[in-house]
Amino acid sequence: RPHALPHRCLTAMAFDIALSSLNRNIAAESKFAGSDFVGNPTRVAKLCEALRANDKVTSLSLAGSGLTDAAVQQVVAALATGALPALARLDLRDNGALGPQADAVLHGLRRLRPGVEIMHGNSVLGADGSNDAFACSRELIEGLTAWPLPDLLIKAGSNDMRCPVCSCAEALKQGLITSGGNQYRCLEGCGSHFLHSIGTADLTLIGNRRKPPKPGGVEV
């Protein structure tokens, strides 16, 4: 009776077949299920190289492929710098090892590639950006979690911003001015601190739930 192939052989075969299809740059859909990227940085590097050279794929499925936070960061870095220009759908479901770091970089990818529908965990972020459940439900990470400024404006033509953490009715209060940008605080709600960095259109969380801001600035 023939012996079953070892798991590592099966995952290597699944990866090689999917990578070969991606490298041929013909098919509109690419699937890497069963490729098992866990602990295999060489596969991740080959994947990203192939993504940069492909301009045909509109749907990329990395569902059930054993992705880690580090692997997702590399894939997002490739997509954020022009890889797969025709991409309309990215499926990252059924990757149990993903954590808050992956959530943070995928939120950034949403802003950089608004035309891409991202499927991750139990959330589907539409290509029109209308589903904010993904952004609101993710774990908040100081220095990483950020929100687009236009999404926070209380009303058009005003510079007043709502708190993206607790969404209280009162506008954020401008606080410290630092060399890196302007800081804001939610005084009436959760007490979180934020930074609008110079030259960006994002508001980044720097202190969550009544933690004091980082020192080094002039109170205004």
Side-chain angles (χ1 to χ4, degrees), residues 78-98:
L79 296 177
T81 53
L84 295 187
L87 187 66
R89 185 173 184 266
L90 175 64
D91 190 350
L92 300 173
R93 293 173 296 177
D94 301 324
N95 286 295
L98 297 185

Side-chain angles (χ1 to χ4, degrees), residues 45-219:
K46 289 181 178 180
L47 169 64
C48 292
E49 182 180 359
L51 295 179
R52 293 187 178 94
N54 188 290
D55 60 2
K56 298 292 191 301
V57 165
T58 59
S59 176
L60 174 64
S61 176
L62 298 172
S65 62
L67 284 177
T68 62
D69 281 353
V72 169
Q73 289 173 359
Q74 293 180 60
V75 170
V76 167
L79 296 177
T81 53
L84 295 187
L87 187 66
R89 185 173 184 266
L90 175 64
D91 190 350
L92 300 173
R93 293 173 296 177
D94 301 324
N95 286 295
L98 297 185
Q101 288 78 16
D103 290 345
V105 296
L106 289 171
H107 182 62
L109 181 62
R110 167 200 172 182
R111 301 194 301 274
L112 293 171
R113 299 283 297 268
V116 177
E117 177 187 75
I118 302 172
M119 307 179 73
H120 170 46
N122 294 321
S123 300
V124 178
L125 181 64
D128 60 356
S130 59
N131 184 357
D132 284 328
F134 170 76
C136 295
S137 64
R138 74 189 193 281
E139 184 175 341
L140 301 175
I141 308 171
E142 294 176 15
L144 285 178
T145 303
W147 297 264
L149 290 178
D151 292 353
L152 303 178
L153 294 178
I154 293 177
K155 60 181 179 179
S158 170
N159 292 324
D160 292 336
M161 295 180 289
R162 63 177 175 83
C163 175
V165 174
C166 68
S167 297
C168 71
E170 296 297 322
L172 295 175
K173 174 69 174 179
Q174 186 170 345
L176 297 173
I177 299 176
T178 72
S179 59
N182 298 332
Q183 293 187 9
Y184 294 84
R185 184 175 182 182
C186 178
L187 293 177
E188 301 300 325
C190 63
S192 296
H193 290 262
F194 307 91
L195 175 67
H196 174 211
S197 298
I198 295 174
T200 72
D202 294 332
L203 192 70
T204 302
L205 179 72
I206 59 173
N208 192 21
R209 306 273 195 268
R210 302 193 181 281
K211 292 181 181 179
K214 296 178 181 179
V218 179
E219 186 70 28

Side-chain angles (χ1 to χ4, degrees), residues 6-16 33-37 40 43:
H7 175 72
R8 66 178 181 276
C9 292
L10 293 175
T11 60
M13 290 174 59
F15 174 74
D16 288 344
S35 295
D36 198 7
F37 289 102
N40 206 319
R43 288 183 188 173

